[in-house]
C-alpha cells in the first residue's frame, strides 16, 4: 500500500513563496506519475501540476504556469511543488497523488490510485 504525506503548507503573503513536499512510502515511487491537486473552499478539487516517472515530462494548469514548478527526487521518494508569486486565489488544501499506470493522462483525477491527506496553503492579500 502506498502512503503519501504532504508537508510545507502554511500562511504566506501575496507574492511570497512556499515549497510543498510529498513523501511516499510503499510501492515503487520511481515508476509513478505524481500529481498535485488543490481544493478551495466551496470548489471542486482541481488539477495543479504533474510529473512523469523520470521527471522529464511535466504538465501545469494554466492558472499556475510560470509560477509553480513540480520536481521529484526518486532517491528520496519525494515530489516537490515550488510555488512562487503566490496569489490569494491559490489558497486551498493541496493534495499529492500517485498514478501507478504508465499512461500519461495527468489531469484525470480518477487515474490516481493513491492520495495524501492534504496540506493547507493560505495566501493573504
Amino acid at each position: 500500500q502506498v502512503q503519501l504525506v504532504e508537508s510545507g503548507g502554511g500562511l504566506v503573503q501575496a507574492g511570497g513563496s512556499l515549497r510543498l513536499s510529498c513523501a511516499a512510502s510503499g510501492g515503487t515511487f520511481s515508476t509513478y506519475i505524481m500529481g498535485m491537486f488543490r481544493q478551495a473552499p466551496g470548489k471542486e478539487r482541481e488539477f495543479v501540476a504533474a510529473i512523469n516517472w523520470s521527471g522529464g515530462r511535466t504538465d501545469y494548469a494554466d492558472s499556475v504556469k510560470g509560477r509553480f514548478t513540480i520536481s521529484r527526487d526518486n532517491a528520496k521518494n519525494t515530489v516537490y511543488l515550488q510555488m512562487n508569486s503566490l496569489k490569494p486565489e491559490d489558497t486551498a488544501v493541496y493534495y499529492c497523488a500517485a498514478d501507478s499506470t504508465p499512461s500519461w493522462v495527468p489531469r484525470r483525477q480518477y487515474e490516481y490510485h493513491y492520495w495524501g491527506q492534504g496540506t493547507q496553503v493560505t495566501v493573504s492579500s
Side-chain angles (χ1 to χ4, degrees):
Q1 185 73 10
V2 176
Q3 291 188 326
L4 303 174
V5 179
E6 299 99 335
S7 60
L11 173 64
V12 64
Q13 288 188 332
S17 298
L18 282 175
R19 188 176 81 154
L20 304 184
S21 299
C22 172
S25 60
T28 312
F29 176 81
S30 61
T31 67
Y32 296 158
I33 294 168
M34 297 299 297
M36 298 295 294
F37 295 80
R38 68 186 181 186
Q39 187 168 20
K43 295 187 177 181
E44 293 187 352
R45 189 167 58 190
E46 64 177 2
F47 170 78
V48 175
I51 188 167
N52 76 336
W53 66 274
S54 69
R57 191 171 186 179
T58 58
D59 188 23
Y60 296 93
D62 288 344
S63 59
V64 307
K65 201 172 292 184
R67 299 188 297 123
F68 291 9
T69 303
I70 191 168
S71 61
R72 67 191 297 159
D73 185 338
N74 287 341
K76 295 183 178 179
N77 287 356
T78 301
V79 64
Y80 304 98
L81 185 68
Q82 178 67 42
M83 305 186 295
N84 298 328
S85 302
L86 282 161
K87 304 175 182 180
E89 51 264 44
D90 294 318
T91 295
V93 177
Y94 283 71
Y95 299 90
C96 69
D99 174 7
S100 59
T101 62
S103 56
W104 177 251
V105 278
R107 301 190 181 208
R108 293 182 187 172
Q109 295 191 35
Y110 61 80
E111 293 283 337
Y112 293 86
H113 306 99
Y114 308 104
W115 291 83
Q117 83 288 350
T119 186
Q120 177 70 47
V121 172
T122 303
V123 184
S124 63
S125 58

